[in-house]
Amino acid sequence: MPDLQPNTHTLMLPAINFCNQCGERVEQKIPQGETLYRAVCPACQTIHYQNPKVVAGCIPEWEDKILLCRRAIEPRLGFWTFPAGFMELGESTEEAAVRETLEEAKARVSIQTLYALFSLPHVSQVYVVYRALLQDQDYGPGEESLEVELMPIEAIPWDQLAFPVIKETLQRYAEDRSRTEFQTHFGAIPRQPHPSPTNTHL
Amino acid sequence: MPDLQPNTHTLMLPAINFCNQCGERVEQKIPQGETLYRAVCPACQTIHYQNPKVVAGCIPEWEDKILLCRRAIEPRLGFWTFPAGFMELGESTEEAAVRETLEEAKARVSIQTLYALFSLPHVSQVYVVYRALLQDQDYGPGEESLEVELMPIEAIPWDQLAFPVIKETLQRYAEDRSRTEFQTHFGAIPRQPHPSPTNTHL
């Protein structure tokens, strides 16, 4: 089992102490037929799996510009990102990306293509990023954003981006755009040195 | 909040009754600053989020053949699939696909390209499927498989595939292969009529 200790400064999952079905204290054991330790309830036998979370987002495009948001919440308050957030039960990754864009940038987009799938194993997250078309120029900061700006690629604040996965995605986007040839990117992005004291996320 | 009732016949998540941190009975409420009902602990204030799960897999290729597995476990015992399974904490989607292929088909693969990203909103799953190269012809059924077979596209048992997402992926793969032009596919696959009485999964 990966050595994942609870850490409130990251988005890793805390250890499970009690069964969420019957309230009994759980045991850590390897269930029959499995190879990893799980939290197992000795009373109702429920096995409590913990799994990575999907973050869905998009790069909203308007002519030669893209829409970025400056975060109003921790982690990385004050830093820039494209609209993205945790996927909810019962929705598709496309629906999650559209919803997050509406919530964070009050903007309506239509999803065009899958642009990137990046895993962040050290925080057990999977980023799914689409290219999307902004439907109109009616946008503005939602509750989780300080400001929202439609900016040309040349204006991307490279040293003020929220997370390494955001920088990696936008760097590839800028390169693809300069060649006018877009690919779908994928891979894993490892933990990186903290670029600033406020980066407690990655 | 999506209307997701507990259903042991699907892989949807059961409702949360107790706090897994302190064991207290939870309340269903909309936390401040959010828009959806969550299970919230009145004692320790933990908000219990439930999120979709990632299923990672691959289509292992060997010359003009691909490797498929016949399931030894429910749901859809006896039906065919490419190797795929739930992603674990601390791994990338690529690592999960490689691990599942080793577990289910006792086969070693190297990941080549991202082939498909399909959401299954009705069961809160996201399938991530790669094209992969089989490293050698040493393979065989793992504990979760009845048999493993390296077969040409013409031999795919279309009416014996485990789930609609498996059929959709392999249909696109067969089409791409006939044109010798592979794309990365994405989209949502809705709930479909049960093709047989044993299909309790989708």
Side-chain angles (χ1 to χ4, degrees), chain A residues 30 36 45 49 52 54 72 75 114 128 134 144 146 159 178 185 188:
Chain A
I30 301 177
L36 301 180
Q45 310 304 324
Y49 295 96
V54 176
L114 175 61
V128 175
L134 201 53
E144 297 181 2
L146 294 172
D159 57 350
S178 69
H185 299 268

Side-chain angles (χ1 to χ4, degrees), chain A residues 2 4 13-23 33 36 38 49-54 86-94 112-114 117 119 121 124 126 128 130 143 184 186-188, chain B residues 2 4 13-23 33 36 38 49-54 86-94 112-114 117 119 121 124 126 128 130 143 184 186-188:
Chain A
L4 293 176
L13 302 174
I16 293 171
N17 302 318
F18 294 90
C19 176
N20 66 15
Q21 296 301 294
C22 74
L36 301 180
R38 313 284 186 187
Y49 295 96
Q50 290 181 290
N51 302 89
K53 294 188 179 189
V54 176
F86 288 114
M87 190 180 174
E88 299 283 354
L89 295 183
E91 66 184 1
S92 67
T93 45
E94 290 88 345
Q112 300 296 302
T113 60
L114 175 61
L117 177 84
S119 299
S124 295
V126 177
V128 175
Y130 295 89
E143 285 193 7
T184 302
F186 64 97
Chain B
L4 292 175
L13 303 173
I16 292 171
N17 302 318
F18 294 90
C19 176
N20 67 15
Q21 296 301 295
C22 74
L36 301 179
R38 313 283 185 187
Y49 295 96
Q50 290 180 291
N51 302 88
K53 294 188 178 189
V54 175
F86 289 113
M87 191 180 174
E88 299 283 354
L89 295 183
E91 65 183 2
S92 67
T93 45
E94 290 88 345
Q112 300 296 302
T113 60
L114 176 61
L117 178 85
S119 299
S124 295
V126 177
V128 175
Y130 296 89
E143 285 192 7
T184 301
F186 65 97

Side-chain angles (χ1 to χ4, degrees), chain B residues 57-189:
Chain B
C58 72
I59 302 175
E61 303 172 341
W62 179 271
E63 294 169 357
D64 62 341
K65 295 176 177 168
I66 63 171
L67 197 69
L68 296 185
C69 308
R70 201 154 73 84
R71 290 171 63 86
I73 53 172
E74 294 290 357
R76 299 292 276 169
L77 190 153
F79 288 79
W80 292 86
T81 180
F82 47 78
F86 289 113
M87 191 180 174
E88 299 283 354
L89 295 183
E91 65 183 2
S92 67
T93 45
E94 290 88 345
E95 288 168 341
V98 167
R99 175 182 53 73
E100 289 289 343
T101 305
L102 188 61
E103 287 176 8
E104 297 179 359
K106 294 183 177 173
R108 283 142 299 280
V109 290
S110 65
I111 299 295
Q112 300 296 302
T113 60
L114 176 61
Y115 187 63
L117 178 85
F118 287 128
S119 299
L120 282 56
H122 55 291
V123 286
S124 295
Q125 292 178 6
V126 177
Y127 266 70
V128 175
V129 186
Y130 296 89
R131 288 176 64 204
L133 286 181
L134 200 54
Q135 295 301 285
D136 52 59
Q137 289 197 73
D138 184 15
Y139 58 83
E143 285 192 7
E144 298 181 3
S145 302
L146 294 172
E147 56 180 316
V148 174
E149 194 178 319
L150 195 57
M151 61 178 78
I153 305 302
E154 304 74 45
I156 293 173
W158 294 107
D159 58 350
Q160 297 289 308
L161 295 177
F163 309 115
V165 65
I166 303 298
K167 188 171 184 178
E168 181 78 28
T169 306
L170 289 176
Q171 280 176 336
R172 299 200 189 201
Y173 181 83
E175 289 165 15
D176 285 357
R177 188 129 170 179
S178 70
R179 287 197 311 266
T180 331
E181 187 187 326
F182 289 91
Q183 299 174 267
T184 301
H185 299 268
F186 65 97
I189 297 179

Side-chain angles (χ1 to χ4, degrees), chain A residues 58-115:
Chain A
C58 71
I59 302 174
E61 302 173 340
W62 179 271
E63 294 169 359
D64 63 341
K65 295 176 178 169
I66 63 171
L67 197 68
L68 296 184
C69 308
R70 200 154 73 85
R71 291 172 62 87
I73 53 171
E74 294 290 356
R76 299 290 276 169
L77 189 154
F79 289 79
W80 292 85
T81 179
F82 47 78
F86 288 114
M87 190 180 174
E88 299 283 354
L89 295 183
E91 66 184 1
S92 67
T93 45
E94 290 88 345
E95 287 168 341
V98 167
R99 175 181 52 72
E100 289 289 344
T101 306
L102 189 61
E103 288 176 8
E104 297 180 357
K106 294 184 178 173
R108 283 141 299 280
V109 290
S110 66
I111 298 295
Q112 300 296 302
T113 60
L114 175 61
Y115 186 62

